Amino acid sequence: MTIWSNSCLRELLLLAIVLSALAPCNRAIPRSSCLPMPQDSSASDADTKANEVYQGQDWAKAAQLYANVVKQRPNDGRAWYRLATSLRGEGKLDDAIAAYQKGLQVGVPAGIGEYGMALTYAAKPDAENAFRFLQKSVEDGFSE
């Protein structure tokens, strides 16, 4: 029986995160990105269009639409999360990190936002921060 060292396990986990972050963005959106839609009916048209584009994984257009949504509703955590995810999909990693941070400030569940940040740091690649945010996401209840 082979015993894996902590260093080896850490490297395998980092590899999994990096591969996940670098994989083409044509896979299904994880359930964790399905934060509840805002109940403000005045924003429903903008949200519906942004949601359609996001689900279609047209990251550039989704980022543009969600940037407009967060201008209108700066305390909408769901919109900040989706903006961040779209920016990550576009490869705008520093902007994605800033949007995840803003989302966390305005109510995105910590585990979900931190996992998004872990994926973003892994794509940079910044293993130290990727692991730091992955650990925080687990501690804050993220289990996917």
Side-chain angles (χ1 to χ4, degrees), residues 12-28:
L12 286 172
L13 182 57
L14 177 61
L15 178 61
I17 293 171
V18 169
L19 291 175
S20 172
L22 297 178
C25 291
N26 62 0
R27 61 191 184 274

Side-chain angles (χ1 to χ4, degrees), residues 3-20:
I3 297 176
W4 294 78
S5 70
N6 285 343
S7 174
C8 184
L9 289 175
R10 183 178 167 107
E11 289 175 15
L12 286 172
L13 182 57
L14 177 61
L15 178 61
I17 293 171
V18 169
L19 291 175
S20 172

Side-chain angles (χ1 to χ4, degrees), residues 42-142:
S42 66
S44 64
D45 289 341
D47 285 318
T48 299
K49 180 62 179 169
N51 182 54
E52 288 172 6
V53 173
Y54 181 86
Q55 294 297 329
Q57 299 179 352
D58 180 347
W59 301 124
K61 184 68 174 172
Q64 179 183 31
L65 292 172
Y66 277 111
N68 290 333
V69 171
V70 300
K71 283 180 189 171
Q72 295 170 355
R73 293 192 322 267
N75 292 321
D76 184 340
R78 178 181 184 273
W80 279 106
Y81 176 85
R82 286 188 163 204
L83 172 60
T85 301
S86 299
L87 290 166
R88 181 169 47 91
E90 264 193 291
K92 295 181 178 177
L93 304 177
D94 291 332
D95 293 337
I97 289 168
Y100 280 122
Q101 289 171 335
K102 180 62 177 175
L104 286 164
Q105 291 171 1
V106 298
V108 170
I112 293 172
E114 292 159 350
Y115 181 73
M117 290 188 64
L119 291 176
T120 306
Y121 277 113
K124 282 184 75 104
D126 179 342
E128 183 177 331
N129 280 314
F131 276 111
R132 182 168 62 92
F133 280 99
L134 183 61
Q135 180 65 40
K136 287 178 74 168
S137 73
V138 171
E139 291 169 1
D140 288 330
F142 186 78

